[in-house]
Amino acid sequence: MPIKWKSKILLCKRETVYGVDAAPTGTVDGILATSVVLSPMEGQDVSREHELPWLGAQATVPTQLAMRLQYRVEMVPSGTAGVPPAWGTSLRACAVGQTITAATSVVYNPISDGHESVTHHFWIGPTRFVLKGSRGSAVMRIDAQGIPYLEFDFRGLFSLPSDPGVRPTVDLTAFLAPDIATSLNTPVFTLGAVPLVLRNFSLDLGNDVQGRFLIGAESILVVDRTDAISCQVEAVPLSTFDPFAAAAGQLRTALSLQHGRSAGRKATLAVAGAQLQRPSFANQQNILEWVLPMVPLPTAGNDQWTLTLT
């Protein structure tokens, strides 16, 4: 029988030992994802470069094998203050730290060392693909009248797929229904304490994720980071907010964005020092809008942004 494209199951669990299968289960570790894309066998085909007495193609050897898994999740907190969201494990595998204050908050921020890894199990039909040692990057994306998403891009160590025979039963109830980004549901967006009308926003963690395949050690590492922010807002008089002067003067501006209104469902992104770069124009419905690229810069280190769930 043909394998149905919509027969996917995705599981994700934090590893206690790097590269050792964390054995995620459907009852605890299921991921409610959209736009799932698996590249099951990335790498290179190295020619064997034989000198032969005839013309013809060369045999090759597959090398630097790895797997790539991309998916996005709806950015909804757990519904209970101080309880991590169901997508928290995925975010932590993107060189992000998690701090829990019981009954109060869960805070995420970038970290430079001690990067966690996860094991992904991805099923399509009867076939299971296992990505051990997975690390990746992510983009937070909020568009007006759209669902806020976290878009993940992971790489994991290669292993051959298998048909285990029994597919897991998945519990996805920890993923709550999202709130559309509207004036009501997204009550705060400010730059330099100035409220602006927002069309779209993205924070790209910008992780440099590389496979390191040596004799005696193979791993997926986050070796650098280049965070970037982009947003599109309605233009205002320069007396209200002047992004051109900010960009020319290399000024750092505080940014705050809150989505969600009720306790346990609020997600607040805070950037203490966003350096505005050169703005550009956009025409939407014959209304002038600004496209504002920004760089979230650290102050003491690992503090260029925080995502607080309350």
Side-chain angles (χ1 to χ4, degrees):
M1 293 181 61
I3 296 175
K4 293 183 174 62
W5 183 252
K6 292 188 176 182
S7 60
K8 305 181 191 73
I9 295 173
L10 179 59
L11 311 177
C12 177
K13 185 176 180 180
R14 186 172 66 90
E15 296 176 343
T16 56
V17 179
Y18 180 78
V20 175
D21 192 341
T25 66
T27 55
V28 177
D29 305 304
I31 298 293
L32 181 61
T34 66
S35 303
V36 181
V37 178
L38 175 69
S39 302
M41 206 170 182
E42 290 197 333
Q44 299 181 16
D45 295 309
V46 176
S47 173
R48 294 174 65 186
E49 297 294 346
H50 290 156
E51 298 287 352
L52 301 173
W54 50 76
L55 300 180
Q58 289 282 342
T60 62
V61 178
T63 184
Q64 300 188 50
L65 295 180
M67 307 171 80
R68 183 179 183 185
L69 179 63
Q70 299 163 277
Y71 58 91
R72 65 180 186 174
V73 299
E74 296 161 342
M75 195 183 73
V76 186
S78 67
T80 303
V83 175
W87 41 263
T89 299
S90 298
L91 186 58
R92 290 169 67 178
C94 296
V96 172
Q98 173 183 273
T99 303
I100 299 173
T101 302
T104 301
S105 66
V106 181
V107 180
Y108 295 97
N109 64 278
I111 56 177
S112 298
D113 297 297
H115 299 159
E116 297 180 359
S117 62
V118 295
T119 296
H120 285 99
H121 285 193
F122 176 66
W123 297 70
I124 183 163
T127 304
R128 180 183 66 184
F129 297 84
V130 176
L131 292 80
K132 294 177 287 187
S134 300
R135 292 186 174 114
S137 191
V139 177
M140 176 196 300
R141 197 176 303 279
I142 299 178
D143 295 338
Q145 300 300 317
I147 298 172
Y149 284 106
L150 287 169
E151 302 172 352
F152 293 106
D153 188 349
F154 285 101
R155 283 170 174 79
L157 300 175
F158 174 77
S159 62
L160 290 171
S162 64
D163 289 348
V166 179
R167 283 161 53 91
T169 299
V170 182
D171 182 355
L172 299 173
T173 56
F175 287 85
L176 306 183
D179 294 320
I180 295 296
T182 63
S183 297
L184 180 65
N185 294 328
T186 314
V188 176
F189 178 71
T190 61
L191 281 176
V194 177
L196 296 173
V197 175
L198 178 67
R199 173 176 294 277
N200 55 55
F201 176 91
S202 67
L203 166 64
D204 188 345
L205 303 194
N207 291 343
D208 183 0
V209 183
Q210 297 187 18
R212 185 171 171 84
F213 307 119
L214 304 179
I215 298 171
E218 295 189 353
S219 59
I220 305 296
L221 300 176
V222 177
V223 300
D224 204 354
R225 173 187 290 117
T226 308
D227 317 68
I229 290 173
S230 179
C231 64
Q232 187 166 326
V233 301
E234 280 190 1
V236 296
L238 298 182
S239 57
T240 301
F241 182 78
D242 188 345
F244 306 97
Q250 306 176 45
L251 302 181
R252 299 189 183 192
T253 303
L255 179 152
S256 181
L257 171 61
Q258 177 190 323
H259 178 72
R261 297 177 295 119
S262 58
R265 293 182 62 95
K266 297 178 184 177
T268 302
L269 178 71
V271 179
Q275 181 183 348
L276 269 78
Q277 297 178 314
R278 295 171 295 110
S280 59
F281 287 164
N283 176 4
Q284 293 288 344
Q285 298 172 289
N286 281 330
I287 302 296
L288 174 63
E289 296 184 357
W290 290 332
V291 179
L292 304 178
M294 288 173 271
V295 179
L297 296 174
T299 301
N302 301 316
D303 58 357
Q304 54 263 48
W305 58 265
T306 59
L307 177 63
T308 304
L309 311 182
T310 54

